[in-house]
Amino acid sequence: MGKQAFDEIMGTPGDTTARPELAALGKWIEDTPDAELRRRQEAAETTFRQLGITFAVYGENEAAERIIPFDIVPRVFLHDEWTRLSDGLVQRVEAINAFLDDIYGERRILKEGILPEDLVLGNAQFRPEIAGIRPPHGVWAHICGIDLVRTGPDDFFVLEDNARTPSGVSYMLENREAMLRLCPELFREFRVAAVDSYPDLLLETMKSVAPHGTGSNPTCVLLTPGHYNSAYYEHSFLADSMGIELVEAADLVVDDDVVWMRTIAGRVKVDVIYRRIDDDYLDPLVFRPDSALGVPGLIAAYAAGNVAIMNAPGNGIADDKAIYSYMPDIVKFYSGGECKLRNVETWRCREPQALKYVLDNLEDVVVKLVDGSGGYGMLVGPTASKQEIEDFRAALIAEPHRYIAQPTLALSTVPTMAKGGLSPRHVDFRPFVLSGSKGVQVVPGGLTRVALKEGSLVVNSSQGGGTKDSFVLMADQSQRMNAGGMSQTMGGMTQTSGAQTSGGNS
Amino acid sequence: MLSRTASSLYWLGRYFERADFIARLVEATVRLDVLSSQPSGDAAWASALAVTETDEAFAATGVGIGQRDVVRFLTLDSSHPGSIVRCLDMARNNAKAVRTALTREAWTAINRAWLLFENRATPGSTTSQLNLVEAVKNETRGFEGAVHRMLRNQTTWFIRLGQAVERADNTARLLDVKYHILLPEGERLGGAIDRDQWTTILQTVSAVTAYRWLYNDGLRPADVIDLLLARSELPRSLAASVEETVDVLNLLAKRTGNHGEADRMARMRASRMAKTRSGEVIASGLHQYLQAFIAENALLHGAIGRQFKFL
């Protein structure tokens, strides 16, 4: 195995005990036999299978459904770590919103030369059709999934911004359910911030961005491409937990710039659409004419201000990987302050000097297509074969503007169940940030993805990655640990176990 | 409620009911074939195909009639649209389309039934055949229980509507085919085989005990027909299915204000049914009666689709 990485629970490489704040978790790991951890993990996966918490794998037959492997050892954020992260996330998402508003409006950032004009206006993710349209309340990136990685105690980096249709929030919620059921002792030991308010916050966000004059109870729907989509489970899960209709394009009709859904009692006006369909397929009259997934006339209704679409059409420009490298400048431009969350160093291959560096160091870097996703179309230099490297070299020389490159990072690890017992595996993290008319908020938690193969840095579920629950510890953790570590609450009464009856060590 | 949702719920009810019926039919036929005092052999399997109107489709597979192959065809054959696995697949697809309308319990029952068939290639021994159909019956029962614990609103009613329409069709087919084609040439009416066959019919609709409670006269074909046709106490009888259809449509009309052709058809059928005497039906031709019933049920199905604007 290569160089050791920072471990979220065990701490700096070489440490044999857990980080001091997580001593109880370290003890839990030590005291719980592997067989027991494995049994609980299997119980969780059986439940996921029975509940159909699955994702479809493209390229296999239609019935192919898999569960995402679940790992029983949680990843933990200390309270102050989370506070810093969450400040940075709010700042970043506010900037993304401002950026989108600007790019499809005045374009100040281009006029001032912060970003090269062709990078934005010539970008495949830029939608000229949207220019001049302003979404209700000026909110664009209602739901952002910001992918983060960590390399050391204080080193968090943003890997990617997802401002289109980020997935994974259902796993965040289901993983927590599984952990509550299977490892309740951990929740007695640690005060973990709850994530189950997410659907309520999402619905609140939806209602808050309804077009002006809609009334107090806007009709919100979730638009899905249908049950063959890989994230369908999530779509239905979210609609279900918000108590709103899950609609397909065929359920909607636009008449006189108003969106209606077809019900058994006739048409009902729709005010807010959480769409989980890409821009390209949203409205065949504006984007791809061959799309059967879309709703003809939807964009016209949106432009007329009669419906809110979240995330706003055209958002792809904000999470494009070429734009990403400018994000520190973008944040600075709109917030006036330094970017609190760092970017991973990024070479833009469109720039000749950067290209030269990348070509000279292909064995050490990760090369990505600017419009790729899901772990496809990328080269991980250190683990790639000679042939793969040469193929990428040729592709880079032919179309350098399509690629960026980043150093391979020593992503942090978390102990994870492997064949021979617990063993460190690399993780990343996707928190979910909600923007409504009243501001930006972060749900205390997110989705931790884990590479199940030893040494692998690829965590995507489509590439065989798994997930873990992500604990965010609450502020008064230490008090609880000192005072209540041994007590059990039963029906409102507190019983102190053991012979010593002193109230802790205060 | 979205029209598409209503349609999916209705079809979910139909397909799940159909899967349950085929499971019962297979079980009853296995008993008839293997366990009765005088095994009836391939004739029993031919009649199981006839009940589901799949005799031609089976013949097209080129395989001869025999327990193992017919069971495989009716349960596991994914190329046969009437097999249990395909019914469950369709039920599950409809359920997935309306995941938001179902409770976890209801969805889990459907998904578990579907998982029974995962990686299953052969029906196996008679015991494992019986185990499989028993498991299907357990899951469908679990689903019914879950449906009854859901909110009593349109969601539940559309599922129940689909179930009632399907059940009416299934019972009518069972009665029709078993009555007319089962008895082998030269076999005596009221003989051992005849008795076993009537018992099988009762088993298929879980009514052996019910029969004993209602008729204390030993097994008489006319009474079995009376039970399945006219006694609304028996949930799977035509009378009960017809009443259920009217009731559910009434509930839907009250809640949605949607009232029309389907309600009228269902009510007319129910009032006609209330006056029906099974003895008269048998005298004037049970087969014609059942054929007309099945056709009318299909018309009602069409009217329901129009009334609720199914896509």
Side-chain angles (χ1 to χ4, degrees):
Chain A
M1 202 176 145
K3 56 181 182 263
Q4 289 270 311
F6 176 77
D7 190 277
E8 299 285 343
I9 294 170
M10 303 310 287
T12 316
D15 287 359
T16 49
T17 54
R19 301 167 69 190
E21 303 88 342
L22 300 179
L25 186 58
K27 188 165 173 358
W28 176 80
I29 289 175
E30 223 165 80
D31 290 353
T32 317
D34 281 354
E36 173 61 14
L37 290 177
R38 207 182 297 277
R39 187 194 65 75
R40 295 187 199 182
Q41 183 154 323
E42 279 162 12
E45 293 190 348
T46 305
T47 311
F48 288 169
R49 184 113 196 107
Q50 284 193 354
L51 287 172
I53 304 178
T54 55
F55 71 106
V57 185
Y58 292 130
E60 298 187 10
N61 71 59
E62 277 178 353
E65 288 180 10
R66 294 205 198 136
I67 58 163
I68 297 186
F70 168 73
D71 188 77
I72 197 92
V73 181
R75 179 248 180 90
V76 187
F77 289 94
L78 305 181
H79 181 70
D80 61 321
E81 287 174 348
W82 181 256
T83 311
R84 267 180 289 138
L85 267 187
S86 127
D87 282 353
L89 289 165
V90 169
Q91 181 200 41
R92 195 169 178 105
V93 170
E94 280 172 351
I96 289 174
N97 270 304
F99 172 66
L100 286 161
D101 213 40
D102 188 26
I103 284 302
Y104 291 110
E106 292 178 65
R107 298 184 186 158
R108 283 193 298 128
I109 198 166
L110 301 185
K111 286 174 194 150
E112 298 195 20
I114 311 289
L115 281 182
E117 197 170 283
D118 70 300
L119 188 71
V120 174
L121 304 184
N123 195 300
Q125 293 305 322
F126 179 75
R127 306 283 177 200
E129 302 88 343
I130 297 300
I133 300 178
R134 197 157 188 272
H137 309 275
V139 184
W140 294 77
H142 307 83
I143 301 116
C144 277
I146 309 288
D147 288 347
L148 297 166
V149 295
R150 184 182 201 178
T151 58
D154 294 310
D155 301 308
F156 285 96
F157 297 94
V158 175
L159 199 58
E160 208 169 278
D161 301 290
N162 297 284
R164 284 177 255 187
T165 55
S167 304
V169 75
S170 57
Y171 294 101
M172 165 178 92
L173 298 168
E174 294 288 1
N175 287 353
R176 175 60 52 83
E177 281 300 309
M179 289 301 283
L180 282 169
R181 216 172 37 246
L182 295 166
C183 306
E185 69 272 24
L186 285 178
F187 295 88
R188 276 197 289 267
E189 200 70 58
F190 294 103
R191 288 203 57 203
V192 179
V195 289
D196 57 3
S197 60
Y198 182 84
D200 295 337
L201 292 178
L202 182 58
L203 184 59
E204 216 172 84
T205 304
M206 290 188 81
K207 288 184 170 176
S208 83
V209 297
H212 296 281
T214 303
S216 61
N217 201 14
T219 301
C220 304
V221 301
L222 196 153
L223 175 62
T224 174
H227 68 262
Y228 291 119
N229 184 270
S230 70
Y232 180 76
Y233 172 74
E234 173 149 313
H235 305 163
S236 66
F237 176 92
L238 284 175
D240 195 16
S241 22
M242 288 190 282
I244 65 175
E245 290 288 0
L246 177 66
V247 302
E248 295 178 13
D251 299 320
L252 299 182
V253 59
V254 178
D255 204 351
D256 219 4
D257 288 349
V258 172
V259 184
W260 304 88
M261 62 177 167
R262 301 179 223 256
T263 79
I264 53 172
R267 288 175 168 191
V268 172
K269 182 173 176 284
V270 173
D271 304 306
V272 185
I273 301 174
Y274 177 15
R275 53 88 174 224
R276 295 294 297 260
I277 294 181
D278 288 339
D279 284 356
D280 270 347
Y281 305 97
L282 212 46
D283 180 347
L285 300 182
V286 178
F287 302 118
R288 283 177 60 158
D290 57 334
S291 167
L293 300 174
V295 185
L298 182 58
I299 296 297
Y302 175 62
N306 290 333
V307 67
I309 300 178
M310 54 196 272
N311 282 333
N315 272 14
I317 189 66
D319 63 25
D320 181 79
K321 289 189 182 69
I323 299 288
Y324 159 88
S325 64
Y326 289 94
M327 200 51 82
D329 305 313
I330 292 172
V331 172
K332 197 167 179 187
F333 183 74
Y334 295 107
S335 75
E338 285 302 318
C339 191
K340 294 176 187 168
L341 281 174
R342 279 178 287 170
N343 262 23
V344 178
E345 185 182 2
T346 301
W347 296 281
R348 305 164 187 137
C349 301
R350 66 206 303 273
E351 295 169 6
Q353 270 193 309
L355 177 65
K356 181 174 184 314
Y357 176 85
V358 173
L359 289 173
D360 289 347
N361 293 280
L362 275 177
E363 294 82 2
D364 301 322
V365 298
V366 177
V367 186
K368 295 174 179 173
L369 269 175
V370 289
D371 51 0
S373 70
Y376 294 101
M378 66 188 271
L379 172 83
V380 182
T383 57
S385 70
K386 276 217 161 60
Q387 186 59 47
E388 284 167 329
I389 287 181
E390 289 320 306
D391 289 349
F392 260 79
R393 188 185 303 283
L396 271 166
I397 292 168
E399 296 179 296
H401 62 280
R402 293 191 64 200
Y403 296 91
I404 55 149
Q406 294 170 332
T408 43
L409 300 178
L411 299 194
S412 64
T413 56
V414 178
T416 298
M417 187 54 72
K419 274 208 178 70
L422 289 177
S423 163
R425 292 289 182 271
H426 296 294
V427 294
D428 79 351
F429 180 63
R430 174 178 291 180
F432 296 90
V433 187
L434 295 175
S435 307
S437 63
K438 294 176 198 82
V440 177
Q441 50 188 334
V442 188
V443 179
L447 178 68
T448 292
R449 298 186 296 179
V450 52
L452 295 176
K453 255 188 280 172
E454 185 170 0
S456 169
L457 297 169
V458 184
V459 297
N460 301 80
S461 49
S462 46
Q463 311 270 311
T467 67
K468 285 170 172 289
D469 193 5
S470 316
F471 288 10
V472 171
L473 302 187
M474 311 233 306
D476 54 348
Q477 204 67 226
S478 53
Q479 293 162 20
R480 181 188 176 89
M481 291 290 290
N482 289 336
M486 294 294 282
S487 69
Q488 290 183 323
T489 304
M490 302 164 96
M493 299 202 303
T494 300
Q495 178 192 38
T496 304
S497 60
Q500 294 162 322
T501 50
S502 71
N505 41 8
S506 52
Chain B
M1 175 180 282
L2 292 174
S3 298
R4 180 176 52 84
T5 305
S7 163
S8 290
L9 290 166
Y10 172 84
W11 277 110
L12 163 61
R14 285 205 72 155
Y15 279 120
F16 222 62
E17 183 70 27
R18 197 175 296 173
D20 177 67
F21 174 73
I22 296 168
R24 288 167 181 283
L25 182 69
V26 168
E27 184 183 23
T29 311
V30 168
R31 285 174 183 282
L32 181 61
D33 179 14
V34 180
L35 308 175
S36 70
S37 53
Q38 196 180 337
S40 23
D42 297 348
W45 292 105
S47 90
L49 291 171
V51 169
T52 51
E53 235 179 281
T54 54
D55 27 9
E56 282 177 27
F58 182 80
T61 65
V63 183
I65 288 181
Q67 176 180 345
R68 211 181 139 78
D69 289 316
V70 176
V71 170
R72 195 193 57 77
F73 183 71
L74 289 176
T75 57
L76 298 170
D77 192 337
S78 56
S79 68
H80 166 44
S83 66
I84 297 179
V85 68
R86 281 286 294 276
C87 288
L88 291 176
D89 205 34
M90 296 299 288
R92 185 170 180 270
N93 275 339
N94 279 292
K96 267 172 98 171
V98 296
R99 269 295 286 265
T100 52
L102 298 174
T103 57
R104 267 190 178 213
E105 285 83 1
W107 161 256
T108 309
I110 298 161
N111 203 40
R112 277 211 310 247
W114 182 79
L115 286 170
L116 291 173
F117 289 84
E118 207 186 27
N119 301 324
R120 189 148 185 160
T122 62
S125 65
T126 298
T127 313
S128 73
Q129 292 168 18
L130 287 173
N131 287 343
L132 180 65
V133 292
E134 182 64 32
V136 171
K137 280 165 54 190
N138 285 341
E139 299 299 352
T140 53
R141 209 153 48 223
F143 174 70
E144 292 228 337
V147 168
H148 277 270
R149 278 158 190 76
M150 282 176 31
L151 281 182
R152 292 173 192 198
N153 60 14
Q154 299 100 297
T155 302
T156 311
W157 300 329
F158 275 114
I159 297 173
R160 277 176 53 195
L161 187 59
Q163 287 175 317
V165 170
E166 181 69 25
R167 194 174 297 150
D169 173 272
N170 293 165
T171 302
R173 285 178 193 282
L174 178 72
L175 205 47
D176 190 23
V177 173
K178 287 289 186 191
Y179 182 66
H180 283 92
I181 69 165
L182 191 65
L183 208 57
E185 278 297 312
E187 190 58 44
R188 189 171 62 85
L189 271 173
I193 291 187
D194 196 28
R195 281 184 61 85
D196 286 339
Q197 288 171 349
W198 286 110
T199 311
T200 307
I201 293 179
L202 291 175
Q203 266 162 355
T204 310
V205 296
S206 309
V208 179
T209 317
Y211 181 87
R212 282 199 208 104
W213 282 335
L214 292 171
Y215 307 89
N216 38 24
D217 203 16
L219 198 74
R220 290 184 43 211
D223 287 342
V224 176
I225 292 166
D226 183 58
L227 176 66
L228 262 59
L229 203 151
R231 298 294 291 254
S232 57
E233 302 100 304
L234 183 77
R236 280 170 206 277
S237 72
L238 297 189
S241 308
V242 163
E243 271 179 25
E244 165 104 0
T245 312
V246 172
D247 291 348
V248 176
L249 282 168
N250 270 339
L251 290 166
L252 281 167
K254 231 194 275 174
R255 177 64 66 95
T256 64
N258 201 323
H259 202 264
E261 188 192 356
D263 296 77
R264 284 190 294 279
M265 282 179 71
R267 267 204 316 275
M268 273 167 55
R269 185 173 73 165
S271 62
R272 226 183 318 113
M273 196 92 199
K275 293 178 210 131
T276 299
R277 298 287 164 270
S278 57
E280 291 164 21
V281 171
I282 297 169
S284 64
L286 180 63
H287 176 67
Q288 287 75 6
Y289 179 87
L290 293 168
Q291 286 299 311
F293 182 90
I294 291 168
E296 188 184 22
N297 201 53
L299 289 176
L300 177 60
H301 163 82
I304 289 169
R306 284 191 298 280
Q307 183 166 323
F308 295 102
K309 308 174 188 71
F310 290 175
L311 288 178

